[in-house]
Amino acid sequence: MNFGHFKKYEKPLLWATVIFCVIVFTLFTGFDDLVQLLRGGSADTAGRFTVLTTGESVEISTIRFEQSAQNMGRLVGRQADFTDDDVWVHLMNVADAEGAGLRISDQELANALTGGGQYAALYLSEGAQAQYRQAGFPSRKQYESAVRDLLLAQRWVQLEASADRYVSADEVYLRWSLDHELFDLDALVFEDEEPDAIPDPGDAELQEHWDGYSEGIRDSRFKDPAKFDIAWAALPLDADLSTLPPEKVATLAEPSEAEIISRFNRVRTARDIEATEPDEALSAALANEVKVIALARQADAAMRALEEADTESVLAVAREFGLVTGDPEGLLDPEALKALDPPADDTLEIRLRSRQPGDLVFVDPFGDRMTVYVAYVQERTENRPLTFEEAREALIEDWKTTQRDRAARAFRDELRDRARALDDVAAALAPMEAAALAQAEAIIASDPELDAEGQQALRDEALAGIELDVLGRLAEDEHRVWDELVAETVAAGGVERVAFAGVGKDYARAPDEADEAGSFARFTKGHPAVFAQGVDGITDVLRDVVGERSVIVRVTGRSLPGKDAMFADTEGLEQARLILGFQRQSQAQQQTVEPALVMAAHDLQVVEIAPPANAGGN
């Protein structure tokens, strides 16, 4: 063909080339697809699965699988973050959504692409090159198709999860009843003994109590506390300013409304002020307090400005400002500091703990405190742990405090002993104890130099090692000796037996108004250890420190309330419904996202593709 012929057919040839390119890009979303097709990839099947919404079996080609993997990596994150299982889950969710008739409209797609969502940044282009191309998409059509599939999969997951939030009344009842189970209780109440009625311990018992504390706890509990020698200067907040040095008062600015409101908010609750804002009289009183505090601050600043401060010079400056001063004699312990009036501040000892001689402490009163003061530290001593003999008196009082519930503990121990004495229980425990002692005897036999005391210690240690197992076995039979021992204990006096029927497991959250706060009934029926017991289970000693009593409870029965009780408890019913609904939703989301569950539900069969014949060689 000469140049003349080419010139003659130039336009038809150019149009044919354009039409061919359009057809290629219409059939294939990018050159990658075309290349893979030319390589024979279309004949490969990556796997097949069953669409849940239609029951049909669908085959996925390797081209589509690889394309989906690439799209997910481009849209959501690095492609390396995804496994093949994640890609299969995505394809299955898309297929389920399409089978259910779900669609993503053009308007929804447009909103997702241009509405500022996570895909819009890739879609919108401010330069010559579109950002979707920068993300690796060969065409806008492929990008839009990938986003549409991702939105469709997300919609299917949300729809499946929300559908499972609907639960039946029977299901709600089962969930509600777990939190409202009813317990029948048989309680034994022991009043604490008064410390003065408890005899002093012997030396050995007291030494054992002393040794039972760790060194850190012992040093903090039994100590000679730090003492302070201080001087103070103070002013009552309601001081009459006209009686104070006029030249000092004249320097005080009138408090602003904001300062008065701030002071009001600081003291309102502690002073039981019902008004939500100060009236004229209260505002005047608060303004006076603000001025008094400001005057005390000026005095504090003048004290700190002294080049050579001592007690005399510090108090002299305070008196120049009209403050009342005092210099208690000697070192004061925490109780003596609390008793000072002024300043009448039970937190004074805490404020002084980190202070050293020569320090000044300014205290701006808050709440119901009515004195502003400055404390000057003259001398101090440090905390000193007491020796056993020095702490003897305090140690005896501490020991007696731990013995106030000894009657209840003695009852609990006797209950275990009587259960252990039952023939069948003793027979069940005998092999356990024999095995433990046999191990101890084997150790004793291997050490002939061990004396009798050491041998007995090994036996005791072996039995202590199985103590938890023994207590668990005894707990199964303690109820068999309960009634007999309780009857004897009640007959001896000083103990009360009380029965409660139908106590709700949620009693602590919604106590009976008939049970007074701090009462034995409220303590017993709201204690969590009670509801951890099965039928005939018996608690350990439950200490009611506030009520100065101890309680031991046996659960005699457990039952579920009727449905009518649930329908009457509208708040509890709604809470149970929401909890159960969210649990179901969480499970449904897991089943539509967790690869193993999704693939099993869809009966996924992945095709193992053989590598090319020349793989790994020439």
Side-chain angles (χ1 to χ4, degrees), residues 437-490:
L437 289 175
Q439 292 181 355
E441 294 299 334
I443 299 175
I444 291 172
S446 66
D447 189 358
E449 297 183 0
L450 202 62
D451 59 16
E453 184 178 352
Q455 293 177 6
Q456 187 58 45
L458 283 174
R459 296 185 185 101
D460 293 340
E461 183 179 349
L463 292 176
I466 63 169
E467 185 64 20
L468 289 178
D469 295 330
V470 170
L471 292 178
R473 179 62 183 82
L474 292 176
E476 300 176 11
D477 294 279
E478 289 173 345
H479 67 279
R480 296 164 56 187
V481 296
W482 168 269
D483 288 327
E484 178 184 1
L485 182 57
V486 168
E488 296 175 7
T489 305
V490 172

Side-chain angles (χ1 to χ4, degrees), residues 27 35 74 117 200 356 410-411 444 465 547 563 586-587:
L27 294 177
V35 170
R74 292 163 178 165
D200 288 352
Q356 299 300 322
F411 173 91
I444 291 172
K563 282 188 179 180
S586 176
Q587 293 170 356

Side-chain angles (χ1 to χ4, degrees), residues 140-474:
R140 172 171 173 170
K141 179 180 179 181
Q142 183 174 338
Y143 174 60
E144 292 179 348
S145 177
V147 173
R148 192 187 296 271
D149 283 351
L150 193 60
L151 293 175
L152 193 60
Q154 291 175 347
R155 175 167 296 180
W156 174 250
V157 171
Q158 294 169 357
L159 182 64
E160 283 288 281
S162 62
D164 280 279
R165 290 186 61 183
Y166 296 98
V167 292
S168 68
D170 289 339
E171 292 172 318
V172 174
Y173 170 71
L174 291 176
R175 180 64 183 83
W176 176 87
S177 62
L178 292 177
D179 295 330
H180 297 77
E181 188 177 1
L182 303 178
F183 286 68
D184 297 331
L185 312 177
D186 186 10
L188 206 59
V189 188
F190 299 80
E191 296 296 333
D192 283 355
E193 294 185 61
E194 292 298 328
D196 293 341
I198 301 175
D200 288 352
D203 289 344
E205 198 168 15
L206 195 62
Q207 184 68 53
E208 182 181 359
H209 183 63
W210 173 265
D211 295 338
Y213 286 116
S214 67
E215 183 177 356
I217 295 178
R218 188 169 59 216
D219 290 348
S220 65
R221 180 167 295 191
F222 305 104
K223 65 184 179 183
D224 183 21
K227 298 181 179 66
F228 299 86
D229 183 5
I230 67 167
W232 52 264
L235 264 181
L237 294 182
D238 57 357
D240 185 353
L241 293 176
S242 64
T243 63
L244 301 177
E247 70 279 6
K248 304 296 184 184
V249 174
T251 63
L252 302 176
E254 287 297 323
S256 66
E257 183 178 355
E259 290 176 312
I260 293 174
I261 293 298
S262 175
R263 184 67 188 166
F264 173 75
N265 291 333
R266 290 191 67 188
V267 304
R268 175 187 171 193
T269 301
R271 298 184 187 179
D272 295 326
I273 301 174
E274 296 182 357
T276 56
E277 57 183 24
D279 56 20
E280 185 176 351
L282 183 55
S283 294
L286 294 174
N288 189 83
E289 293 184 10
V290 173
K291 283 189 170 184
V292 169
I293 294 172
L295 183 64
R297 285 191 182 279
Q298 290 184 5
D300 175 64
M303 297 177 199
R304 297 176 189 274
L306 291 171
E307 293 184 1
E308 296 183 3
D310 56 21
T311 303
E312 184 178 348
S313 61
V314 165
L315 297 185
V317 170
R319 287 190 287 270
E320 291 178 5
F321 284 82
L323 275 66
V324 180
T325 61
D327 185 9
E329 184 176 353
L331 292 164
L332 305 179
D333 61 19
E335 293 302 320
L337 290 171
K338 290 181 182 179
L340 289 178
D341 188 10
D345 183 3
D346 56 6
T347 67
L348 177 56
E349 185 268 337
I350 298 175
R351 299 176 186 276
L352 294 174
R353 286 179 184 175
S354 61
R355 304 295 183 167
Q356 299 300 322
D359 287 348
L360 284 163
V361 182
F362 178 84
V363 179
D364 183 353
F366 61 92
D368 58 354
R369 292 180 171 83
M370 293 299 295
T371 303
V372 58
Y373 68 92
V374 182
Y376 176 69
V377 181
Q378 303 176 77
E379 185 183 353
R380 67 166 294 165
T381 63
E382 300 298 332
N383 292 324
R384 182 182 65 83
L386 299 176
T387 64
F388 175 77
E389 289 301 328
E390 289 175 328
R392 175 177 288 272
E393 184 177 344
L395 189 62
I396 290 174
E397 294 302 317
D398 185 71
W399 177 86
K400 287 184 176 182
T401 299
T402 65
Q403 299 301 308
R404 299 189 67 186
D405 64 338
R406 61 180 182 171
R409 288 188 282 112
F411 173 91
R412 196 67 183 82
D413 291 340
E414 177 65 17
L415 191 68
R416 291 193 179 100
D417 290 342
R418 293 199 183 190
R420 186 190 293 265
L422 295 172
D423 292 341
D424 56 329
V425 176
L429 294 178
M432 298 169 56
E433 295 173 340
L437 289 175
Q439 292 181 355
E441 294 299 334
I443 299 175
I444 291 172
S446 66
D447 189 358
E449 297 183 0
L450 202 62
D451 59 16
E453 184 178 352
Q455 293 177 6
Q456 187 58 45
L458 283 174
R459 296 185 185 101
D460 293 340
E461 183 179 349
L463 292 176
I466 63 169
E467 185 64 20
L468 289 178
D469 295 330
V470 170
L471 292 178
R473 179 62 183 82
L474 292 176

Side-chain angles (χ1 to χ4, degrees), residues 18 26 54 66 93 258 274 326 388 404 438 470 477 557 607 609 618:
V18 170
T26 301
T54 63
E66 293 172 4
N93 286 332
E274 296 182 357
F388 175 77
R404 299 189 67 186
V470 170
D477 294 279
V607 177
I609 301 183
N618 294 325

